[in-house]
Amino acid sequence: MSFTTRPELRGTFGAVASTHWLASASGMAVLERGGNAFDAACAAGFVLQVVEPHLNGPGGDLPAVFWSPERGEPFVLCAQGVSPAAATIERYRSLGHELVPGTGLLAACVPGSFGGWLLLLEQFGTWRLEDILAFAIGYADTGYPVVPAITATIERAEPLLREWPGSAALYLPAPAPGSTFRNPQLAATWRRLLDAARGGSRERELERARQVYYEGFIAEEIDRFSRAHDGLLAGEDLARWRATLEPPATVDYRGLTVCKTGAWGQGPAGLQQLRLLEGFDVASLSEAELVHLTTECAKLAFADRDANYGDSADVPLERLLSREYADERRALIGEMASGELRPGLGRLPKLCVESTQTLGAGEPTRGDTVHLDVADRFGNLLSATPSGGWLQSSPTIPALGWPLGSRAQMFWLEEGLPSSLAPGKRPRTTLSPGLVLRDGEAWLAYGTPGGDQQEQWALHVLLRHVDRGLNLQEAIDAPEWHTDHLISSFYPRGVRLRSLDVESRIGDEAIADLRRRGHDVEVQPPWSLGRVSAVSREGDQLRAGANPRLMQGYAVAR
C-alpha cells in the first residue's frame, strides 16, 4: 500500500470535497439533514465566500457542471456575469488603457454567483434559501479561523487596501493566522435579503431573493457605489442578467465522456489536451516523459485557447475538438521543448505578440479561486469552481460587506478577437469544473483553483487516475507541475516561454531530463502546486479525495 496524506474516503451515503474544511463540513451537514447534492453545494458555496474571501466572494462568478439522474444528462451552469453596457473598447481607450485594469471598478462585470446558486437551488434543490444561507451567516456573524493565506494576501495587498476605505476598515490590520475573523456586514446583508424575500412557496422566495439582489437594495447599492467611484457597472446591467443552463462541451477519452464548459471558459483546452494525449500510451511513460508530453500538449491547447476562445459564435469548437485536428497538431510535438506560441487556427492578440516577454504573475491583481465537489445517495454529482470578488482586487462596498469582481481584465481591448471586449459579453474565464461520464452515467466530478493552471493540475490528476490506476487521493497527492507558456489570463497578460514549474518531489533525475529537453525548469517546494479535489461513484460506493496543499482542503464521506 502506498502512503497518502489521508485516505481515499469511501461511503454509500454522501461525499463532499472542497478547498476548505468548513465548507465540506457544511455540505455534509446538509446531506445529513436530508438535502441533496445541490442543496449541499449551495450551502458549501456560500460558506466558501465567507471563509476564503481572498479567493471568492458574493460579488464573484460561478460555473458548475453536474448530473441529475432525473434529467438523465449532464448540464453546465453558467453564472459568469457579463460586461456592463457602458464597457466598450473606445471607452477604455479614451481613459488611457491598453488593457483592462486588473484591479478596481473598471474591471467589474455583473456578479453572477448569487444568481447561479439560486438557479441551481430552484431547478434541482429542495431546501429554502434561509436554511441554505444559515451556515454562511453563522460564520460571517460569529467568526471563523483565519487561514495563513488570508493573512499573507492582505499583507501583500495592504498598500492597495489602504486606498479603499471599506476594505481598510474591514481587513486592516491583517488578522493573524488562526485568529477569529468576523464580517458582520455580510451577515446583515444576507439577513436583509432573506427578510425581503420571505413568504410563499420555496420557488417564490427564491425568485424574490433574485429580484432583491439584482433589482433591489443590493443592485441599488452596487449602482451607487460604482457611479461614485467612476465604475461602469450599473443597476440596469444587473437587472437584465440571468444565469443559464447549457449543454457541456465533451470529448471521449479511453471510453469515458469528459464534460466541460463551452468556449466562454477555458474548459475546452482540457478537452483538446485529452484529444492530443489519446495518441500516446500515457500509462507507460516515465515521470519526465509524462511531464514533457503533457506540457507540450498544454502549449498547443492554450495557444488555441488564446487565439480562438471567447463568448462568440465564431469559435470553431467542433474543429478544435475533432480527432482529425488533434492528429494534425500532435505531429508538432517533439523530443524538445517548444519555444513558440503556435495556434492552429485564429490569431493571437497583437499586444501580446508585439510585446517583450514578461512574467505575467500580475500580483496582487491576480486572484485565485475555490472548488467543491458533491455526490449524494440519490445519484446526483456536481463539480463547481466559484471565483471572483477577491478582497484584494476591488474595494469593499461598506454597505454590503464585500467587493465586486474584476473578471473584465480577461477581455482584450483589440477588435476582431473572440475575446474582444463588447457590452453584455461574458469574459473568457479560466474557471473549469469537470465531470466525467462512464457508460452514459455520472462517474467523476473534479477540479481545482489556479487560474491558467486549472486545466493542467486537474488534467494531471485525471490522467493518473484513469491511465495509471491511482486512486483519487493518490492521484491528488502525486507531484504536480505546470507551464506558463501561454498568454496569462490576468493583468498584465504576460508570457513565460518554455517555462515549467515542478514540485521538487518529481526528483532530480526527472528535473535534469526536463532541462536537457529545453524546458526552463523552476523547482518549487514539495507541496506547493495544485488544489485539486474530486468525488466519484464506483458501483454502489461513493469516493472522495481532497488536496493537502495549504493544509485546508478537506473531503468528507460516509
Side-chain angles (χ1 to χ4, degrees):
M1 178 182 295
S2 62
F3 173 82
T4 55
T5 57
R6 58 198 72 185
E8 181 193 57
L9 302 181
R10 302 189 182 193
T12 57
F13 177 81
V16 184
S18 82
T19 50
H20 198 290
W21 70 90
L22 292 178
S24 298
S26 299
M28 180 55 76
V30 172
L31 295 180
E32 294 282 4
R33 289 164 52 187
N36 66 19
F38 305 107
D39 301 316
C42 291
F46 283 116
V47 168
L48 287 169
Q49 293 176 358
V50 178
V51 302
E52 294 195 274
H54 58 311
L55 305 180
N56 77 137
D61 29 47
L62 164 70
V65 57
F66 62 91
W67 173 273
S68 165
E70 290 186 3
R71 302 282 184 97
E73 59 181 316
F75 287 96
V76 167
L77 168 68
C78 177
Q80 175 56 64
V82 299
S83 56
T88 64
I89 291 175
E90 295 75 22
R91 181 69 173 271
Y92 283 89
R93 292 286 191 188
S94 72
L95 295 172
H97 296 292
E98 286 191 316
L99 296 170
V100 177
T103 58
L105 296 179
L106 285 178
C109 290
V110 172
S113 63
F114 187 78
W117 289 128
L118 259 61
L119 178 60
L120 194 70
L121 191 59
E122 187 267 326
Q123 291 275 325
F124 298 93
T126 64
W127 276 31
R128 288 183 177 266
L129 182 60
E130 184 170 15
D131 298 322
I132 292 291
L133 278 172
F135 299 89
I137 291 172
Y139 288 121
D141 217 12
T142 63
Y144 61 91
V146 172
V147 296
I150 294 178
T151 305
T153 298
I154 293 172
E155 290 177 344
R156 185 172 60 243
E158 182 172 346
L160 196 58
L161 298 179
R162 289 202 178 279
E163 298 178 11
W164 299 331
S167 301
L170 181 58
Y171 291 112
L172 297 179
S179 64
T180 300
F181 185 81
R182 298 173 178 85
N183 188 343
Q185 187 54 56
L186 171 56
T189 297
W190 288 148
R191 287 196 178 99
R192 182 179 173 187
L193 178 142
L194 290 171
D195 287 343
R198 187 173 289 111
S201 68
R202 187 184 76 94
E203 291 73 19
R204 178 59 184 145
E205 283 187 338
L206 290 169
E207 175 56 25
R208 276 204 299 269
R210 190 200 64 78
Q211 292 171 352
V212 171
Y213 188 106
Y214 291 97
E215 301 174 46
F217 82 90
I218 292 179
E220 292 167 0
E221 187 56 36
I222 290 173
D223 181 279
R224 187 203 64 77
F225 190 82
S226 179
R227 291 178 189 276
H229 296 85
D230 299 320
L232 301 181
L233 187 64
E236 292 86 354
D237 297 312
L238 277 74
R240 66 171 62 98
W241 179 85
R242 280 183 178 263
T244 56
L245 296 176
E246 304 176 359
T250 65
V251 299
D252 292 334
Y253 180 78
R254 315 294 196 212
L256 305 168
T257 301
V258 183
C259 306
K260 290 284 184 174
T261 70
W264 53 265
Q266 71 169 340
L271 302 181
Q272 285 193 248
Q273 290 174 75
L274 290 173
R275 278 280 189 246
L276 292 166
L277 289 163
E278 274 186 322
F280 300 95
D281 183 4
V282 174
S284 68
L285 299 174
S286 69
E287 194 75 350
E289 290 170 336
L290 177 66
V291 175
H292 171 72
L293 182 61
T294 55
T295 300
E296 295 307 296
C297 289
K299 291 176 183 179
L300 295 174
F302 281 103
D304 278 335
R305 180 201 73 171
D306 293 334
N308 294 281
Y309 291 13
D311 185 16
S312 170
D314 297 329
V315 178
L317 197 56
E318 183 176 354
R319 170 66 174 160
L320 291 169
L321 297 182
S322 69
R323 284 194 167 93
E324 293 76 16
Y325 183 70
D327 290 343
E328 296 172 12
R329 300 284 278 165
R330 194 181 298 115
L332 298 175
I333 299 172
E335 287 297 313
M336 300 300 289
S338 169
E340 302 176 74
L341 297 176
R342 299 182 289 181
L345 301 171
R347 67 174 178 86
L348 296 173
K350 292 179 182 177
L351 183 63
C352 173
V353 173
E354 295 170 357
S355 66
T356 58
Q357 183 175 330
T358 60
L359 289 180
E363 296 289 3
T365 64
R366 175 178 172 178
D368 208 315
T369 302
V370 299
H371 184 78
L372 64 103
D373 306 290
V374 187
D376 66 22
R377 65 192 188 278
F378 309 115
N380 301 304
L381 198 64
L382 173 140
S383 171
T385 310
S387 188
W390 308 304
L391 71 86
Q392 67 273 25
S393 294
S394 191
T396 295
I397 304 173
L400 300 179
W402 41 265
L404 293 170
S406 53
R407 189 67 63 183
Q409 66 185 286
M410 296 179 177
F411 286 115
W412 290 101
L413 300 181
E414 175 186 336
E415 299 284 1
L417 298 166
S419 54
S420 298
L421 175 67
K425 186 176 181 179
R426 292 174 291 189
R428 197 276 300 146
T429 179
T430 54
L431 308 177
S432 195
L435 180 75
V436 183
L437 311 182
R438 185 169 64 185
D439 299 326
E441 295 189 354
W443 171 58
L444 173 71
Y446 70 108
T448 181
D452 293 311
Q453 283 72 55
Q454 289 183 33
E455 278 304 344
Q456 299 183 67
W457 295 335
L459 178 83
H460 305 156
V461 170
L462 182 65
L463 294 176
R464 282 180 154 148
H465 187 49
V466 172
D467 289 272
R468 300 199 157 200
L470 276 63
N471 71 34
L472 291 180
Q473 195 59 52
E474 289 171 333
I476 290 168
D477 282 356
E480 265 294 1
W481 66 94
H482 70 263
T483 183
D484 285 309
H485 182 113
L486 46 78
I487 301 174
S488 173
S489 299
F490 300 87
Y491 182 91
R493 314 302 298 271
V495 180
R496 294 173 54 213
L497 298 177
R498 291 191 178 88
S499 67
L500 179 60
D501 287 26
V502 301
E503 288 185 341
S504 60
R505 293 183 298 132
I506 282 179
D508 293 342
E509 182 179 344
I511 291 169
D513 190 331
L514 292 164
R515 285 178 170 150
R516 178 188 61 78
R517 293 171 185 265
H519 296 282
D520 184 7
V521 179
E522 291 192 17
V523 180
Q524 302 297 339
W527 295 92
S528 60
L529 303 181
R531 293 178 69 198
V532 180
S533 66
V535 299
S536 70
R537 290 190 163 278
E538 291 283 355
D540 60 356
Q541 289 188 3
L542 303 177
R543 303 187 182 188
N547 183 54
R549 298 161 180 89
L550 295 185
M551 296 180 289
Q552 66 183 68
Y554 224 74
V556 186
R558 80 161 182 85

